[in-house]
């Protein structure tokens, strides 16, 4: 359990430092979540709840590319399988999702938290 907690703390720090640097989009992740356009998936990635616009697709692609780079880095540094890092991250992102926003179940269905 201590190893998993350390792994998550490493992930949280890296994501908070790097995840939102870079391109500016017409919509940001918080707004897209609040509008029900995107939600958190169990694999630690952001997903589209409805058919996305080009701006939302670009946002999702950017966020997911940054997250995957961090997941791969942490997996390598901690000697953990990538899917384990993603699963831990997904659980934490879903836990941190605000009430009324979308999360995906392990069966792939979207629901409001």
């Amino acid at each position: 359990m201590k190893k998993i907690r350390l792994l998550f703390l490493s992930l949280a720090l890296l994501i908070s430092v790097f995840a939102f640097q870079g391109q500016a989009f017409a919509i940001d992740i918080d707004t897209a979540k609040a509008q029900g356009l995107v939600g958190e998936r169990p694999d630690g990635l952001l997903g589209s709840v409805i058919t996305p616009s080009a701006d939302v697709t670009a946002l999702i692609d950017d966020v997911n590319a940054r997250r995957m780079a961090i997941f791969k880095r942490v997996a390598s540094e901690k000697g953990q399988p990538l899917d384990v890092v993603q699963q831990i991250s997904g659980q934490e992102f879903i836990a941190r999702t605000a009430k009324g926003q979308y999360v995906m179940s392990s069966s792939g269905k979207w629901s409001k938290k």
Side-chain angles (χ1 to χ4, degrees):
M1 188 65 171
K2 186 176 179 181
K3 191 174 188 179
I4 291 174
R5 186 173 178 88
L6 179 62
L7 175 65
F8 176 72
L9 290 174
S10 296
L11 277 170
L13 177 62
L14 286 171
I15 288 171
S16 66
V17 171
F18 297 113
F20 301 108
Q21 297 175 352
Q23 297 180 14
F25 294 96
I27 189 166
D28 63 67
I29 190 171
D30 292 331
T31 302
K33 283 182 172 186
Q35 291 179 1
L37 303 174
V38 301
E40 294 294 345
R41 298 180 352 190
D43 61 0
L45 299 175
L46 195 63
S48 177
V49 177
I50 62 169
T51 303
S53 66
D55 288 339
V56 173
T57 297
L59 174 69
I60 291 169
D61 290 347
D62 183 67
V63 169
N64 287 345
R66 291 172 186 279
R67 286 184 181 184
M68 281 304 296
I70 293 167
F71 297 160
K72 288 176 182 177
R73 180 175 165 194
V74 170
S76 176
E77 288 175 359
K78 302 297 180 189
Q80 294 291 319
L82 179 60
D83 64 327
V84 170
V85 173
Q86 285 187 255
Q87 181 184 25
I88 292 168
S89 298
Q91 290 171 355
E92 188 59 30
F93 285 133
I94 288 171
R96 290 182 178 190
T97 297
K99 185 177 178 180
Q101 294 181 353
Y102 284 92
V103 296
M104 181 183 278
S105 69
S106 58
S107 66
K109 299 207 183 245
W110 289 109
S111 63
K112 283 188 178 181
K113 186 172 176 185

